[in-house]
Amino acid sequence: ILEPKYTPSEVFMAYDEFFAGRKQLSYEEVSLRDSATVSDLGRFYTDVYMNCFPDPDERETFDGFLGYLRYENDRPERRYHIILAKDENQNIVGGCVFNYFTRTNSGVIEFIAVRSDIQSGGIGTQIYRHVLSVLSTDARQCAGRPLDYVFCEIDSPEYSRAEIKKYLYFWDKNGYYHIDFRYVQPALSDRQNPV
């Protein structure tokens, strides 16, 4: 059996690096105390998030995001973040929802979403790097040491409805490992089904 000489993540890393430097992004964290960021979250939800999560059972409601922001801000054991990325014209091009957990000194990335017409151009990588810097700051502030772990939740390739599994390449090139266990996402509301 011949093993490939190079993995796709090694071959295409230079491709991603080339495009990642092309667009300068700015970031904002959504806060219920800032109505402009909540308005931007609404634009992100309709322009980016709904296209990236076409299955209504996999998609959090907009009210759900606001509820998490309200609830999570009062919990010292974790920090809940919604970060939006904007291009030089202040257009929302992507975003990420993620958490920092104090007890385990770890981060969990729920998803990174990039506007569908500009995917595979390095924007997801830039957002990911910004998320790691926020998680690192959380770890230093809360635990007084570097971040121990980062986990992410992605569709299992066996059950994913996505036609192109490019999300697997993204996490592979960033050094993640697959934890092999069966997981069913519980229903996100009483009007949705488990996935």
Side-chain angles (χ1 to χ4, degrees), residues 131-171:
V131 166
L132 288 185
S133 78
V134 173
L135 287 171
S136 295
T137 298
D138 285 346
R140 284 192 302 277
Q141 290 175 350
C142 297
R145 65 179 197 269
L147 191 65
D148 287 329
Y149 304 99
V150 178
F151 299 92
C152 64
E153 177 186 348
I154 63 169
D155 282 349
S156 171
E158 296 85 24
Y159 301 104
S160 174
R161 296 180 186 137
E163 291 179 23
I164 301 172
K165 309 279 192 284
K166 60 185 167 188
Y167 66 91
L168 295 174
Y169 162 69
F170 179 86
W171 295 108

Side-chain angles (χ1 to χ4, degrees), residues 10-177:
E10 291 169 325
V11 173
F12 292 107
M13 185 74 77
Y15 177 85
D16 289 341
E17 293 295 325
F18 175 77
F19 284 104
R22 292 287 181 194
K23 293 190 183 341
Q24 195 63 28
L25 301 180
S26 60
Y27 302 95
E28 71 178 12
E29 180 145 6
V30 178
S31 169
L32 294 178
R33 294 182 293 279
D34 184 344
S35 60
T37 65
V38 174
S39 177
D40 285 344
L41 176 61
R43 287 192 302 144
F44 167 77
Y45 190 87
T46 57
D47 296 348
V48 179
Y49 180 72
M50 290 182 75
N51 290 326
C52 290
F53 292 88
D55 183 344
D57 288 326
E58 288 184 302
R59 190 170 56 225
E60 187 61 68
T61 64
F62 182 74
D63 290 341
F65 284 134
L66 296 180
Y68 291 133
L69 284 169
R70 191 173 297 113
Y71 176 69
E72 299 296 339
N73 283 341
D74 298 328
R75 300 181 69 182
E77 68 272 13
R78 89 165 96 177
R79 292 183 177 181
Y80 179 78
H81 298 280
I82 302 177
I83 298 284
L84 304 178
K86 294 181 176 182
D87 66 13
E88 59 277 358
N89 298 317
Q90 296 303 297
N91 297 311
I92 297 172
V93 295
C96 182
V97 172
F98 60 103
N99 302 273
Y100 170 76
F101 294 91
T102 304
R103 193 171 62 126
T104 57
N105 191 35
S106 63
V108 175
I109 298 173
E110 294 184 23
F111 67 83
I112 295 175
V114 174
R115 209 173 69 203
S116 58
D117 62 321
I118 53 174
Q119 290 178 355
S120 300
I123 290 174
T125 299
Q126 289 185 69
I127 294 171
Y128 169 73
R129 289 177 180 159
H130 179 75
V131 166
L132 288 185
S133 78
V134 173
L135 287 171
S136 295
T137 298
D138 285 346
R140 284 192 302 277
Q141 290 175 350
C142 297
R145 65 179 197 269
L147 191 65
D148 287 329
Y149 304 99
V150 178
F151 299 92
C152 64
E153 177 186 348
I154 63 169
D155 282 349
S156 171
E158 296 85 24
Y159 301 104
S160 174
R161 296 180 186 137
E163 291 179 23
I164 301 172
K165 309 279 192 284
K166 60 185 167 188
Y167 66 91
L168 295 174
Y169 162 69
F170 179 86
W171 295 108
D172 176 59
K173 77 174 182 174
N174 284 296
Y176 283 79
Y177 296 96

Side-chain angles (χ1 to χ4, degrees), residues 2-8:
L2 297 175
E3 293 293 327
K5 190 170 182 181
Y6 300 105
T7 66

